[in-house]
Amino acid sequence: MSGSERREVLNRVQQAGFAMDEAILYLDTHPCDGTALAFYQKARDEQRRAACEYNAKVGPLTNDQVDPANRWSWTDCPWPWEKEANY
């Protein structure tokens, strides 16, 4: 995966995460707004898809994405911010 492809996937993760955060703030005061709930679910699904794609192609963004079956591999790859610096 090229540096620009990594940035594009990481941007999708971040954009969807931002959308989720904004929807959560709104839903805190409007918990029955069906449109907002649907928006949140769409953003959550996109964030999960993008994070899974990043995890599969680049490495885990967070330590909860590590499969600890045989060993703790979280520190095998550069940290996400180190990957960004190496583009």
Side-chain angles (χ1 to χ4, degrees):
M1 178 179 259
S2 72
S4 63
E5 291 171 318
R6 283 185 217 144
R7 278 192 300 276
E8 188 269 325
V9 174
L10 185 57
N11 282 341
R12 285 194 356 245
V13 171
Q14 293 170 332
Q15 290 168 357
F18 179 81
M20 286 171 52
D21 290 343
E22 291 296 308
I24 289 167
L25 290 173
Y26 180 81
L27 286 166
D28 284 347
T29 58
H30 302 81
C32 297
D33 186 325
T35 303
L37 289 166
F39 178 85
Y40 172 79
Q41 289 173 339
K42 182 179 176 186
R44 182 194 61 198
D45 292 345
E46 173 56 25
Q47 194 274 343
R48 287 179 179 172
R49 276 192 299 276
C52 285
E53 181 180 351
Y54 191 93
N55 188 13
K57 293 180 178 179
V58 181
L61 283 168
T62 59
N63 59 6
D64 65 332
Q65 296 172 336
V66 174
D67 180 9
N70 296 318
R71 60 183 293 280
W72 186 246
S73 61
W74 171 241
T75 57
D76 289 352
C77 299
W79 299 101
W81 57 88
E82 292 174 325
K83 293 173 192 168
E84 181 71 24
N86 292 325
Y87 290 153

